[in-house]
Amino acid sequence: MSILVNSDTRLLCQGITGSAGSYHCTQMMAYGTNLVAGVTPGKGGQVFNSKVPIFNSVKEAVKETGANASVIFVPPPFAADAILEAIDAGIELVIPITEGIPVRDMIAVKAYLDASGARMIGPNCPGIITPGQCKIGIMPGHIHTPGRIGVVSRSGTLTYEAVGQLTALGLGQSSCIGIGGDPIIGTRHIDAMKLFNDDPDTDIVVMIGEIGGSAEEEAAAWAKDNMNKPVVGFIAGATAPPGRRMGHAGAIISGGSGTAEAKYAAMEEAGFHLSRSPAEMGKTVQGLL
Amino acid sequence: MKIHEYQAKQILARHGVAVLQGHVVTTAEEAATAAEKLGGPVVVVKSQVHAGGRGKGRFLGDVSDADIQAVLAGAEEVPGKGGVRVVKGAAAAAEAAGDMLGKTLVTKQTGAEGSKVNTVYIEAGCDIARELYLGVLLDRDVGKVVVMASVEGGTEIEEVAEHNPELILKVHADPITGLGAWQARELAFGLGLTGAAYKSAVKFILKLYTAFMAEDCAMAEINPMVVTGAGEVVALDCKMSFDENAMYRHKANLEMRDFDEEEPSEIEAGKYDLSFVKLDGNIGCMVNGAGLAMATMDIIKFYGSEPANFLDVGGGATEEKVTAAFKIITADPAVEGIFVNIFGGIMKCDVIAAGCLAAVKEVGLTVPLVVRLAGTNVEEGKKLLNDSDLAVISADSMADGAQKIVNAVNAAKGA
């Protein structure tokens, strides 16, 4: 078991013929992900890597292949439209990797998403992986190993750092989910925590946050009353100055809110096991076993 | 992307939001002409810098260091003249503008280095009956645009939120139907407005929301929004910034970028698509990924030093980008050591190692350099570093790297 994706996931990729899309689809296929279709409007009928059929629309791809998840590598000006197309075609899990989608576009997407039954991970995210079964996104597959630790983080490489530490200590992962660094995202920390809490094959969760917004506080408040598994927490950006955007569009302390200090306090209040140094995430998990 | 008050007001005027008449000037002579054109009993001479708190700001060289410190601490009463002045007549306007232009204004928000005043806005005076607050921005928690209003105009909204949160009224715009007139009415009535002022405010609120959406703003704040003696609602000040992800569809707004308001090293980094923020510490960092870059800053602090910058080289860094990053980091005289922390995913460690070596050869290296590599092709990368004759210190983990750079810098200082 795991959360959201496994060996039964039937993935399609929107933007499969672009440079990022084709590179990462090749990597995902090599990992063993069941990539059943690609979509590039105007290139329907072609075949990707001599194996994966390409369609003109998501609707057509779903009808022909039974795809139930979509990973999106479409450039920012067209990404919101691609997300809407996937939701409209009945895709259950939509994962836009694209960085740089305008906020105004995402406000509309979120409203559409909330009214549908679909789930979105991202945008501006590394994706999700269930080690040994299914990799959807841009993370390096080889650093992961199957196991019972769940990982949720906004960032890409910081997630890899956590996973690298766990794997080095012989601690495998159930699923690792990068929820994205934008101000408006589909799956938030709290949603990932709920999924891990309900997953019988996850024993401990590593929750990695960063400055900006209040998603970590929200997740901690929920976990305080509802989480029945230990959580290890780390927040990036304790040294970030207020008012400056730290790479991610959402990583900014504004008006005194969104500080690392406030997030650590909320996690402490919820009984999380804090890793104050980013180098101690794996060891903190190990200490709980 | 931030813009100046006068630019924001041009945008507001285009969308039918009520603003006062004004002229942008860059010399004292132009200020006199502008004041004459505007007429009226008084005009307002306003320094154009991106930071807020201009009225209570003071100019470097005008007042003592202690007074500048008081400004930075947010003191209410500081001797000397501020960055916004109400004056009578053309001669006084020229004198005030001439006094501001070319000087550096320090406000609570600029930091001690302040901002140089290159332009001044001469605006018509206004008969103020009430000062209110109106702001439009994204509410991240619900993923909707929120319009906030308050009777506490002229005060920073963060302060109101902290001390009198009940004085902030909020309505959320529906993503599909937009801001309803009924919501604008709710805010206007909530502010205690009646008659002409009420009608004027409803129109003002709706038009400001339209402008916010049409221009892909990140923030549009009118503080204060004033009610005049005649019951007109107008924007006395305006702070506006844009969503940087949406600039591709607003080429004209992109022209409003003022490079003088930005850190030169950050402008240089932007040319190479590097995400860079200058900080005050002594250890330069080069990292891939924003989250790991922040965590790297944190771990440097954890081991007792301070980061000199945030730098995310991105997922597909080339040798050219790595070299540019090195140049930017080493150009900062405060940098006493460099920590490269790479977790290779898409990026291959051998490529980054080769890039580091090439950069060091080109740029030269006068400070200790610690490189930590992990992930894709890590062994090939480490071999490249170890086989080179350059004094690169290799680290096995993030903690190991952070300790090594902090120790190396301290040792170099002690020697």
Side-chain angles (χ1 to χ4, degrees), chain B residues 352-414:
Chain B
I352 201 97
C356 286
L357 295 175
V360 169
K361 273 185 190 143
E362 191 191 326
V363 180
L365 192 65
T366 52
V367 295
L369 168 65
V370 171
V371 180
R372 179 273 178 133
L373 299 172
T376 309
N377 292 1
V378 58
E379 293 311 323
E380 293 89 330
K382 281 186 178 171
K383 188 169 185 311
L384 277 177
L385 293 182
N386 292 337
D387 291 351
S388 85
D389 51 2
L390 295 168
V392 179
I393 306 165
S394 184
D396 292 324
S397 70
M398 206 167 158
D400 183 41
Q403 277 170 301
K404 277 181 174 161
I405 190 62
V406 170
N407 291 343
V409 167
N410 289 343
K413 273 185 185 168

Side-chain angles (χ1 to χ4, degrees), chain B residues 257-277:
Chain B
R257 185 169 168 192
D258 182 354
F259 289 95
D260 288 339
E261 286 277 342
E262 297 177 32
E263 176 66 38
S265 55
E266 293 177 12
I267 297 170
E268 183 66 16
K271 289 181 192 162
Y272 295 92
D273 203 20
L274 299 164
S275 184
F276 178 86
V277 178

Side-chain angles (χ1 to χ4, degrees), chain A residues 23-24 76-78 99-108 110-112 114 138-140 142-143 154-158 160-165 181-184 188 210-215 218 234-241 243-252 254-256 276-280, chain B residues 2 138-145 158 173-176 212-217 243-250 263 266 275-279 287-299 301-303 305-307 310 312 341-348 372 374-377 397-400:
Chain A
Y23 174 80
H24 289 292
F78 319 106
E99 176 173 7
I101 307 175
V103 167
R104 193 178 78 193
D105 297 5
M106 286 311 300
I107 290 173
K110 189 177 183 318
Y112 196 80
D114 288 349
I138 61 174
M139 66 290 279
H142 64 89
I143 61 170
R154 284 203 231 173
S155 140
T157 47
L158 186 55
Y160 314 160
E161 174 69 39
V163 168
Q165 289 176 21
D182 274 1
I184 297 182
R188 292 160 66 93
E210 63 190 39
I211 54 161
S214 58
E218 176 194 50
F234 170 75
I235 301 293
T239 48
R244 300 302 311 273
R245 172 173 134 165
M246 294 284 135
H248 285 155
I252 181 165
S254 48
R276 291 273 178 179
S277 158
E280 302 286 322
Chain B
K2 290 180 184 173
L138 173 72
D139 182 340
R140 295 171 58 156
D141 290 334
V142 294
K144 291 177 185 174
V145 171
E158 289 83 12
D174 185 273
I176 312 293
F212 179 94
M213 296 304 284
E215 304 290 339
D216 274 294
C217 290
D243 174 5
E244 285 172 36
N245 288 347
M247 293 315 292
Y248 70 87
R249 52 190 179 205
H250 301 285
E263 176 66 38
E266 293 177 12
S275 184
F276 178 86
V277 178
K278 193 186 175 314
L279 303 170
V287 189
N288 65 327
L292 191 62
M294 277 185 271
T296 303
M297 286 157 47
D298 297 345
I299 201 166
K301 172 102 171 174
F302 191 82
Y303 286 108
S305 280
E306 295 283 343
F310 165 94
D312 172 10
N341 186 17
I342 300 293
F343 205 114
I346 313 165
M347 183 183 278
K348 296 178 180 70
R372 179 273 178 133
T376 309
N377 292 1
S397 70
M398 206 167 158
D400 183 41

Side-chain angles (χ1 to χ4, degrees), chain B residues 216-268:
Chain B
D216 274 294
C217 290
M219 184 189 65
E221 187 180 67
I222 314 293
N223 191 20
M225 169 177 84
V226 304
V227 183
T228 65
E232 289 289 321
V233 171
V234 295
L236 207 62
D237 192 7
C238 178
K239 243 197 225 178
M240 187 179 277
S241 63
F242 301 120
D243 174 5
E244 285 172 36
N245 288 347
M247 293 315 292
Y248 70 87
R249 52 190 179 205
H250 301 285
K251 295 281 189 291
N253 290 350
L254 206 48
E255 298 294 312
M256 294 183 166
R257 185 169 168 192
D258 182 354
F259 289 95
D260 288 339
E261 286 277 342
E262 297 177 32
E263 176 66 38
S265 55
E266 293 177 12
I267 297 170
E268 183 66 16

Side-chain angles (χ1 to χ4, degrees), chain A residues 259-274:
Chain A
T259 64
E261 201 182 330
K263 291 172 191 292
Y264 271 124
M267 294 199 300
E268 192 152 39
E269 167 83 18
F272 288 13
H273 304 268
L274 304 187

Side-chain angles (χ1 to χ4, degrees), chain A residues 109-146:
Chain A
V109 165
K110 189 177 183 318
Y112 196 80
L113 177 78
D114 288 349
S116 75
R119 172 184 294 280
M120 179 169 77
I121 298 174
N124 187 14
C125 76
I128 178 169
I129 182 169
T130 292
Q133 295 190 43
C134 180
K135 162 179 131 86
I136 302 178
I138 61 174
M139 66 290 279
H142 64 89
I143 61 170
H144 300 79
T145 186

